[in-house]
């Protein structure tokens, strides 16, 4: 049913871009009710406005906590215009009809985000606003609800095109938007309180979304929920795909482990190349050396500015995505020469400390693996102590093993991945895969150390590694047969350290 807007309640926190709506309503002769700062704003626009207090006979009280919570306000919104009993009661109690409600919510999330004190955060829990929004949305048969400044332009166009008349479909559409706003708001409040209470309840709400070309495969639909623009500026290239995003996530998490100049090349979330260097160019070339075949079509990331010498080397390779915190002007111009090449400028954003995904008929959640061992955490369990060079290499390899699919073995020196054995059902298979790759690309394994994401149940891996020339090993420890691996190492002058921390990645 079509409805002509004849009355409106406007009470908002954010007043930017509200003026054109107020001006339109004024020219339409709509009776406007308002409160506090919004009332003053409307008056300053020269548009007639009636204070809510004039119909409730109550002022704003309790420091503004109670302004619109009154039967004459909620009655005007909720009474059913096609229900004779409701109409009679609205006349009996002198309740004016309200056809349009423009109300937003206090900035609770923003206040939490800036680290405000709890008292200020609590005052930003909206009571009247969210109640008005829910009431208007519930009675969409008769009332149009505008629940966010994001909707101002859309609703103004709607009213202008229809001369202040709304259809049932219009009102129902905006009601759905309103319940999206209120449910998201309540979820944010719950999650704030639940940081302390730790109730075993799963609630997440993300209002921004980006439809992807497809999911993991072309026959699957895909959507990214979140605001990528907060984390990246896309400087070039085609639209990001589902698989791009999965690899980018893995790349960002890996690179976060390094402060020194570093480059990583990833395929299917695993690093096929990783190195540090004095310059970006050196780090990139060392990373590429580990597996120049797999690097084709990969996702590349660095933690330093991509300069022209580095870009000239990168430009020789076909890759899908390059992520960096900055690009020199000359480097960017060169890299943009391939129109589909995705270039992402990474911005500093704090990432969530939790991970979750759908599983079976529910959702599984865990703390993100934020542990990373340093030299003081290493426990030497063999007679031979690793040299300072070996310790540096072991720590480098351990960072890589944390971010590689289990079961995994990493072979590396102190600044370069030689090879990895990835996602094998047997740790021996992972090691043999890594050895074969390292040899194929010409690495001298006598200069490598070995890292494992989990303990060795048998001494076979340390025996195989030793026979290839490897003399230092890092692993979590914890097997009931740790002594067997330690004994083999002692018999063959291999140094081994335990971290006490397993880094499975499935």
């Amino acid at each position: 049913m079509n409805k002509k807007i004849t009355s409106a309640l406007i009470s908002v926190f954010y007043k930017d871009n509200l003026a054109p709506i107020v001006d339109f309503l004024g020219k339409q002769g709509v009776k406007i009710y308002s409160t506090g700062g919004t009332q003053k704003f409307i008056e300053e626009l020269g548009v007639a406005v009636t204070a809510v207090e004039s119909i409730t006979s109550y002022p704003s009280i309790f420091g503004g906590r109670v302004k619109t919570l009154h039967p004459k306000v909620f009655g005007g919104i909720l009474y059913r215009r096609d229900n004779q009993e409701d109409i009679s009661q609205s006349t009996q109690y002198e309740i004016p009809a309200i056809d349009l409600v423009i109300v937003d919510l206090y900035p609770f999330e923003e206040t939490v985000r800036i680290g405000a004190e709890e008292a200020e955060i609590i005052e930003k829990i909206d009571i009247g606003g969210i109640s008005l929004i829910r009431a208007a949305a519930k009675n969409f048969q008769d009332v149009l609800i505008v629940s966010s400044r994001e909707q101002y332009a859309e609703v103004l166009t709607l009213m202008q095109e229809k001369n202040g008349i709304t259809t049932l479909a219009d009102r129902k559409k905006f009601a759905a938007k309103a319940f999206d706003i209120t449910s998201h708001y309540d979820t944010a409040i719950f999650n704030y309180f639940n940081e302390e209470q730790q109730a075993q309840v799963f609630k997440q709400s993300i209002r921004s979304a980006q439809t992807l070309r497809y999911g993991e495969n072309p026959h699957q639909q895909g959507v990214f929920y979140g605001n990528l623009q907060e984390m990246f500026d896309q400087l070039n290239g085609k639209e990001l795909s589902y698989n791009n995003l999965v690899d980018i996530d893995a790349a960002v998490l890996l690179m976060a482990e390094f402060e020194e100049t570093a480059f990583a090349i990833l395929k299917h979330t695993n690093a096929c190349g990783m190195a540090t260097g004095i310059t970006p160019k050196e780090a990139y070339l060392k990373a590429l050396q580990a597996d120049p075949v797999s690097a084709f079509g990969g996702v590349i990331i660095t933690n330093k500015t991509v300069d022209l010498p580095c870009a000239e080397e990168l430009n020789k390779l076909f890759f899908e995505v390059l992520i960096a915190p900055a690009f020199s002007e000359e480097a960017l111009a060169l890299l943009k020469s391939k129109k589909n090449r995705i270039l992402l400028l990474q911005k500093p954003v704090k990432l969530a400390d939790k991970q979750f995904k759908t599983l079976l008929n529910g959702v599984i959640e865990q703390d993100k693996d934020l542990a990373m061992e340093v030299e003081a955490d290493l426990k030497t369990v063999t007679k031979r102590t690793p040299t300072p060079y070996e310790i540096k290499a072991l720590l480098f390899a351990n960072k890589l093993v944390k971010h590689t699919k289990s079961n995994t073995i990493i072979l590396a020196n102190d600044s370069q991945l030689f090879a990895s054995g990835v996602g094998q059902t047997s740790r021996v298979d992972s090691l043999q895969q890594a050895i074969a790759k390292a040899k194929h690309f010409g690495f001298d394994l006598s200069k490598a150390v070995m890292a494992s994401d989990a303990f060795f149940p048998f001494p076979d891996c340390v025996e195989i590694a030793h026979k290839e020339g490897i003399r230092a090993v890092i692993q979590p420890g914890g097997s009931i047969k740790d002594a067997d691996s330690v004994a083999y190492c002692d018999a063959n002058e291999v140094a081994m350290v335990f971290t006490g921390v397993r880094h499975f990645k499935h």
Side-chain angles (χ1 to χ4, degrees):
M1 183 183 297
N2 293 349
K3 298 275 186 178
K4 176 75 173 178
I5 296 171
T6 60
S7 58
L9 171 63
I10 307 176
S11 181
V12 296
F13 186 89
Y14 295 107
K15 300 169 184 65
D16 40 315
N17 300 317
L18 179 64
I21 294 176
V22 173
D23 182 64
F24 175 83
L25 294 173
K27 289 177 180 176
Q28 286 275 309
V30 172
K31 187 171 184 62
I32 300 175
Y33 300 97
S34 192
T35 62
T38 307
Q39 178 185 339
K40 183 179 178 183
F41 173 82
I42 296 170
E43 289 170 343
E44 290 174 352
L45 292 175
V47 176
V49 59
T50 300
V52 167
E53 292 89 336
S54 70
I55 60 172
T56 65
S57 300
Y58 273 89
S60 173
I61 57 177
F62 307 129
R65 282 190 166 195
V66 179
K67 290 181 284 189
T68 55
L69 291 167
H70 194 279
K72 284 198 172 183
V73 176
F74 282 86
I77 295 169
L78 283 165
Y79 92 80
R80 293 158 291 190
R81 276 56 160 183
D82 61 353
N83 183 293
Q84 192 56 51
E85 185 177 354
D86 285 10
I87 294 169
S88 297
Q89 288 181 334
S90 70
T91 303
Q92 178 184 355
Y93 296 109
E94 298 180 337
I95 296 175
I98 297 174
D99 306 320
L100 168 66
V101 175
I102 303 178
V103 173
D104 61 7
L105 299 172
Y106 291 155
F108 177 83
E109 287 181 281
E110 293 85 344
T111 307
V112 172
R113 195 176 297 125
I114 63 174
E117 295 294 326
E118 182 173 86
E120 183 180 354
I121 290 171
I122 297 305
E123 286 307 310
K124 291 299 186 291
I125 297 177
D126 207 311
I127 303 301
I130 201 165
S131 301
L132 290 166
I133 290 171
R134 289 177 62 86
K138 176 177 180 175
N139 198 23
F140 67 87
Q141 293 283 350
D142 301 302
V143 181
L144 176 67
I145 173 63
V146 180
S147 51
S148 168
R149 57 180 169 172
E150 300 167 1
Q151 302 163 16
Y152 288 174
E154 183 180 2
V155 79
L156 178 60
T157 299
L158 173 71
M159 293 190 299
Q160 288 173 336
E161 290 178 350
K162 298 183 178 180
N163 196 33
I165 295 173
T166 64
T167 66
L168 179 60
D170 296 329
R171 298 190 296 275
K172 194 169 186 179
K173 174 184 175 182
F174 278 87
K177 291 175 182 283
F179 285 120
D180 172 34
I181 294 283
T182 59
S183 62
H184 177 82
Y185 194 77
D186 283 337
T187 297
I189 294 169
F190 169 78
N191 285 335
Y192 168 76
F193 279 92
N194 205 40
E195 287 181 6
E196 180 179 330
Q197 302 302 319
Q198 294 292 299
Q200 293 293 297
V201 177
F202 182 82
K203 291 183 187 292
Q204 292 290 333
S205 176
I206 303 173
R207 296 192 58 246
S208 53
Q210 178 179 327
T211 301
L212 306 175
R213 296 198 303 272
Y214 50 81
E216 197 164 9
N217 299 291
H219 64 276
Q220 297 169 266
Q221 294 183 340
V223 179
F224 174 80
Y225 292 99
N227 186 355
L228 282 173
Q229 286 69 43
E230 288 182 354
M231 189 164 185
F232 301 108
D233 288 332
Q234 184 166 344
L235 307 178
N236 191 67
K238 60 188 178 181
E239 182 183 340
L240 288 165
S241 71
Y242 179 100
N243 292 330
N244 288 156
L245 290 171
V246 173
D247 284 334
I248 289 167
D249 177 68
V252 167
L253 294 177
L254 170 60
M255 191 53 63
E257 305 286 0
F258 294 88
E259 294 183 3
E260 63 270 47
T261 300
F263 254 93
I265 306 169
L266 288 87
K267 287 290 285 289
H268 300 291
T269 74
N270 295 301
C272 59
M274 174 77 217
T276 60
I278 297 173
T279 66
K281 176 182 175 180
E282 179 191 346
Y284 166 68
L285 289 176
K286 286 168 66 178
L288 181 65
Q289 186 182 10
D291 189 348
V293 175
S294 295
F296 183 88
V299 169
I300 304 176
I301 187 169
T302 182
N303 56 1
K304 302 298 180 184
T305 299
V306 175
D307 56 19
L308 183 59
C310 183
E312 287 172 340
E313 295 298 331
L314 283 161
N315 201 46
K316 298 174 183 177
L317 177 72
F318 168 74
F319 58 86
E320 284 276 327
V321 182
L322 173 61
I323 308 159
F327 296 83
S328 74
E329 187 175 338
E330 300 84 0
L332 188 59
L334 175 61
L335 293 168
K336 280 185 171 182
S337 62
K338 304 288 175 61
K339 67 177 184 178
N340 287 330
R341 178 184 283 162
I342 298 169
L343 304 177
L344 298 179
L345 181 73
Q346 184 179 350
K347 295 182 278 190
V349 172
K350 185 183 184 307
L351 301 179
D353 293 336
K354 298 278 189 179
Q355 295 173 310
F356 62 87
K357 64 179 180 179
T358 57
L359 190 73
L360 301 175
N361 62 339
V363 172
I364 191 168
E365 182 184 62
Q366 68 170 353
D367 297 332
K368 190 175 288 183
D369 184 359
L370 300 176
M372 179 40 59
E373 297 70 58
V374 297
E375 185 174 352
D377 299 317
L378 306 184
K379 178 184 178 183
T380 302
V381 294
T382 50
K383 293 177 182 177
R384 189 173 84 80
T385 300
T387 66
Y389 166 83
E390 288 172 335
I391 288 173
K392 186 178 178 183
L394 291 169
L395 292 172
F396 177 85
N398 195 49
K399 290 179 180 180
L400 277 165
V401 90
K402 171 183 169 181
H403 294 274
T404 307
K405 292 285 188 183
S406 300
N407 287 312
T408 184
I409 293 289
I410 295 291
L411 305 179
N413 65 14
D414 64 335
S415 64
Q416 184 182 27
L417 170 66
F418 285 6
S420 58
V422 177
Q424 299 301 303
T425 53
S426 159
R427 201 159 299 281
V428 171
D429 288 345
S430 293
L431 175 56
Q432 290 175 334
Q433 182 189 63
I435 290 169
K437 284 191 69 174
K439 287 182 174 180
H440 178 74
F441 291 112
F443 288 101
D444 180 358
L445 290 178
S446 68
K447 294 181 172 62
V449 300
M450 176 173 71
S452 175
D453 60 333
F455 63 64
F456 297 119
F458 305 102
D460 45 10
C461 281
V462 291
E463 181 178 352
I464 294 167
H466 166 251
K467 289 179 179 178
E468 294 293 341
I470 293 167
R471 305 245 350 248
V473 178
I474 186 170
Q475 58 135 320
S479 169
I480 60 174
K481 294 188 176 182
D482 277 343
D484 293 349
S485 294
V486 172
Y488 181 89
C489 289
D490 284 342
N492 293 277
E493 296 187 336
V494 175
M496 185 159 64
V497 298
F498 287 177
T499 64
V501 180
R502 189 183 73 186
H503 289 296
F504 270 166
K505 184 183 179 190
H506 291 101

